[in-house]
Structure formats: C-alpha cells, structure tokens
Amino acid sequence: MSELTEIQIPVSEPYLTGEAKSYVLNCLDSGWISSKGSYVSELEGLFAQRIGVAHAISVSNGTAALHLAVLAANIGPGDEVIIPDLTFAATANAVLHCGAVPILVDVSLQDWTVDVGLIEAAITDKTKAIIPVHLYGNLANMTAINELAARYQLLVIEDCAESLGALYHGSPTGSLGDLGCFSFFANKLITTGEGGMVTTNSSELAQKIRSLRDHGMSVSRRYWHEIAGLNYRMTNLQAAVGVSQMAYFDQFVEKRRYIEQQYRHYLSKLPGMIFMRVPPQCQSVNWLTSVRVDPALTGGISAEDIAMQLRLQGIETRAFFFPLHQQPPYKADDVQFPVSLLLSNQGLSLPTYYRLTNAQIEFVCRSIYNLFSVPFTSE
Ligand SMILES: *Cc1c(COP(=O)(O)O)cnc(C)c1O
C-alpha cells in the first residue's frame, strides 16, 4: 500500500483578505487587543444591519452564543427544549449546561431540518423553547415553528451557525425567531478564527446577554454583579478579522451558491445522489455542499466508498454528524429517529470554499463519475 496522497482539495478553507492583516495590525499597534476596542462595536453594528435586527451581541464562539441565548431565556432545571436529533452537539450542550433537558425530534428526509410534523407531540408543560437548526444552510420551516411557538408560548432560538446569508421569505436567518445564534469558526461563511454572535429584536434579551457575557456586571456600577455571568466576550483582534470579512459577505454567499449549483448540475445525473430539498420560500446558503448517497439506487456505492475514492485523489470530504440520540450525553433509547440515522449514514459533504475553482469542482465530480463507471463530460 502506498502512502495516502496529500490533501490537495480540503473540504473547507477560510478566505482571509489583505484588510484582515492591516486591521489586526491596527489592534497590535494600538494595544487594543482585548474585548474593548472599536472593531467589536463596528462588527456588531455591521452584523445587526445585515441581519436586519435591533441588536447583535458578539461572543467568543457559536457555542457561547447558544449558551447565552438559553440562559437569557431563563431556561434551567426542570425545563425542556426541543432540538433536532441531527445537529452539531453544541446545540444540545447549551441546553444541558443550563440544567435543562434537550428533547430530540427527528428530521425531515427531504429538507434535513427538524420535522415540524413531529414537534407538537414532543411539547409538554415543561417545554420552554424550540431550537431549529438550519443544517447545511437550509432553513427549517419557520412558519410552522413560529406558529407552534405562539400557540404554546415557547421561545424560538435559531441555530444559524451554518445558515448565515440564507433568507426565508426574503428575511435573513437570525431575524426569524426570538434569538439567532451564529458561529464564526474558520469553516463558517464569515470567520473570526473563533467567534460568534447573538441577534435579537428584544432590548430586554439583548441587555441580559450583554450582561451575562461580561460576568453579569452592572453597566452603571463596575464590579457590582447583578447576576452570575460568564466571560464570553469577543476580542478586538477577532472582531478586526470579522469586519474585514463582512465586506465580502455577498461574494461569499454568491460563490457558495454557485458551487452548489455546479455540484448539483453534475451529480444529479448520477443515480442515488440526492440533494436536500430547498423549500420554495427559502433561499439557502450552501454552507457545505452535501449529498445523500442511497446505495439502493447507486448500485451499492455508499457515501463511505465515495469518501475513500476521493481521498485517494487527494480530495477531502466530511461525514455527517452522528445522531445525538446515540451518543452518551444525549441518549434516548425509547424513541426512534429513523431519518436522522439514515441521513447520518448516507450523508457526505464535499469541498465548499471561496477559492474552489471550476476545474477543482469538475475534478471532484469526475472522480465520483469514475467510481460509478460513468464517463464525465463537463456540460
Ligand atoms: C459550528 C456550529 C456550532 C458551534 O459553533 P462554535 O463556534 O464552533 O462553537 C453550533 N451549531 C452548529 C449547527 C454548528 O455547525
């Protein structure tokens, strides 16, 4: 066996601009390297404007954003929060670290987001909130979720970590519920290295989140603590990178949509390569182009087979998340999650990043065609 080929095409890579470097140097030269400094408020202002909300509160990462959102909603021991079974663990961890219980709900086979037909049955008198996760940039059915939330007086916290840039009936993700939580990890649409943001139109929730992220300290009286808080602040260094990224927002979104179109164009021609359904009211953002590989239709070729074939060509891919219900902290043995399990087994994410070229996309697709023994033409 030969050594594994070096990775030529990663699944994801950040695009950092020249402005990023000069803004970061400004921080270093001026000494404003912690969370005080003009880039922090500038980024919050740009972000609030972009999402169309009254308040954007920067935080140290996306998990902190979720944790603060759940804390600010006064959710704690004895409470339940509904989340999809197929998501990154941070969604569930935020609920658990508030002392509440995440109630898992299966996802939709077509959309891959929470199955809204199953939410109502999961609501009890302990339910306080729903956290829809906009997986791979596809927006959950917010109309149905907001209707249920209104009927049962629940809070809606969007997990927007993968959906920045997506629109629902023309409105940006992060403005569709009571609170929106974003991540700026290196593989997200906008990155600050590590970082995150909470968005809301509620002044009360915004004030509480600002206080919680800064030790629960009184704004008018320093070192007087009104609530027990945390230190989840974003640094000026991170915000400087964030401000530089915001200038490329539209280009980032456009390029990712284009990449998905290309992959869909080529791969939809193969049997059993199934893309998520984007609901008509939703303009998804394609965080990572992802495909479900159904071996019953591909002639036995699995997502894992494709991953291995691509890896031999120096192409990196990414498996889907494991269903939460199977993992020790979230175990739910008494409920079935057939769709989440199926997607987790059959899902595969393909290289998706700003600098990915047409030739690289074609190379990825040609490698997959080879495995299917189908001749590839770039038409
Ligand atoms: C990335 C991500 C998060 C967490 O963000 P971090 O910044 O890495 O803490 C939360 N939820 C989802 C769905 C994510 O993809």
Side-chain angles (χ1 to χ4, degrees):
M1 276 288 284
S2 60
E3 286 275 304
L4 260 186
T5 335
E6 215 183 307
I7 289 190
Q8 310 289 344
I9 307 180
V11 75
S12 175
E13 123 189 324
Y15 181 74
L16 299 167
T17 67
E19 293 91 332
K21 198 178 263 180
S22 70
Y23 295 171
V24 168
L25 282 176
N26 285 344
C27 299
L28 296 179
D29 291 341
S30 65
W32 292 104
I33 55 168
S34 282
S35 55
K36 290 203 173 98
S38 61
Y39 289 117
V40 176
S41 46
E42 189 178 347
L43 180 62
E44 290 179 342
L46 288 170
F47 204 81
Q49 191 175 26
R50 171 57 77 160
I51 303 301
V53 290
H55 310 279
I57 305 111
S58 62
V59 291
S60 47
N61 57 63
T63 306
L66 285 162
H67 191 195
L68 291 186
V70 179
L71 277 177
N74 266 330
I75 291 167
D79 296 335
E80 294 177 352
V81 177
I82 292 174
I83 68 168
D85 186 46
L86 190 67
T87 179
F88 183 52
T91 321
N93 292 342
V95 175
L96 283 172
H97 281 292
C98 291
V101 181
I103 301 295
L104 308 177
V105 169
D106 206 358
V107 292
S108 146
L109 183 61
Q110 283 73 39
D111 302 355
W112 308 356
T113 52
V114 65
D115 183 339
V116 290
L118 300 175
I119 293 177
E120 194 161 14
I123 296 174
T124 71
D125 54 9
K126 295 176 184 162
T127 312
K128 290 286 167 355
I130 305 173
I131 309 183
V133 179
H134 306 307
L135 209 66
Y136 301 111
N138 201 19
L139 297 184
N141 183 336
M142 292 305 291
T143 310
I145 289 166
N146 282 333
E147 264 169 32
L148 280 169
R151 183 135 42 96
Y152 291 93
Q153 293 190 302
L154 309 176
L155 218 72
V156 176
I157 302 169
E158 294 180 76
D159 183 336
C160 310
E162 301 180 5
S163 63
L164 179 58
L167 305 172
Y168 192 82
H169 287 299
S171 299
T173 182
S175 71
L176 308 169
D178 297 286
L179 292 150
C181 300
F182 294 86
S183 163
F184 302 139
F185 187 66
N187 65 8
K188 302 292 161 80
L189 186 95
I190 291 283
T191 186
T192 59
E194 297 276 357
M197 194 75 79
V198 186
T199 52
T200 184
N201 278 313
S202 158
S203 304
E204 198 185 324
L205 287 171
Q207 197 182 3
K208 193 143 178 220
I209 289 166
R210 282 188 191 283
S211 168
L212 281 168
R213 101 178 146 173
D214 191 19
H215 307 286
M217 208 186 300
S218 161
V219 256
S220 50
R221 200 173 176 197
R222 286 207 80 196
Y223 304 114
W224 180 260
H225 300 267
E226 283 155 345
I227 43 177
L230 297 146
N231 178 358
Y232 279 171
R233 298 179 307 243
M234 178 185 278
T235 66
N236 203 41
L237 286 163
Q238 292 165 306
V241 177
V243 169
S244 77
Q245 293 265 297
M246 288 301 284
Y248 289 76
F249 196 103
D250 292 325
Q251 281 157 270
F252 287 165
V253 170
E254 214 170 286
K255 181 64 189 269
R256 280 177 190 247
R257 289 211 175 110
Y258 173 76
I259 291 170
E260 181 170 38
Q261 271 171 21
Q262 293 300 100
Y263 278 129
R264 275 189 192 244
H265 171 72
Y266 293 126
L267 300 179
S268 298
K269 294 174 188 164
L270 297 174
M273 299 291 280
I274 304 163
F275 288 84
M276 67 188 180
R277 184 191 77 114
V278 178
Q281 70 276 19
C282 170
Q283 255 182 292
S284 69
V285 73
N286 185 34
W287 170 56
L288 285 178
T289 306
S290 301
V291 61
R292 176 164 78 86
V293 183
D294 186 347
L297 302 172
T298 57
I301 298 168
S302 67
E304 212 178 316
D305 295 334
I306 295 179
M308 276 166 56
Q309 166 78 2
L310 294 182
R311 185 62 192 80
L312 291 172
Q313 311 285 322
I315 302 164
E316 189 187 32
T317 57
R318 194 176 125 153
F320 275 24
F321 299 119
F322 292 106
L324 288 181
H325 77 274
Q326 292 189 326
Q327 304 177 54
Y330 330 104
K331 263 216 173 311
D333 293 324
D334 46 338
V335 203
Q336 299 290 310
F337 303 90
V339 179
S340 159
L341 197 58
L342 182 102
L343 284 172
S344 174
N345 285 328
Q346 299 188 344
L348 188 72
S349 298
L350 301 170
T352 310
Y353 51 92
Y354 188 65
R355 270 191 300 206
L356 193 68
T357 64
N358 276 335
Q360 289 174 317
I361 296 171
E362 285 173 19
F363 178 54
V364 173
C365 294
R366 185 179 297 116
S367 304
I368 297 175
Y369 270 62
N370 283 344
L371 192 62
F372 279 73
S373 305
V374 173
F376 178 82
T377 52
S378 60
E379 277 156 19

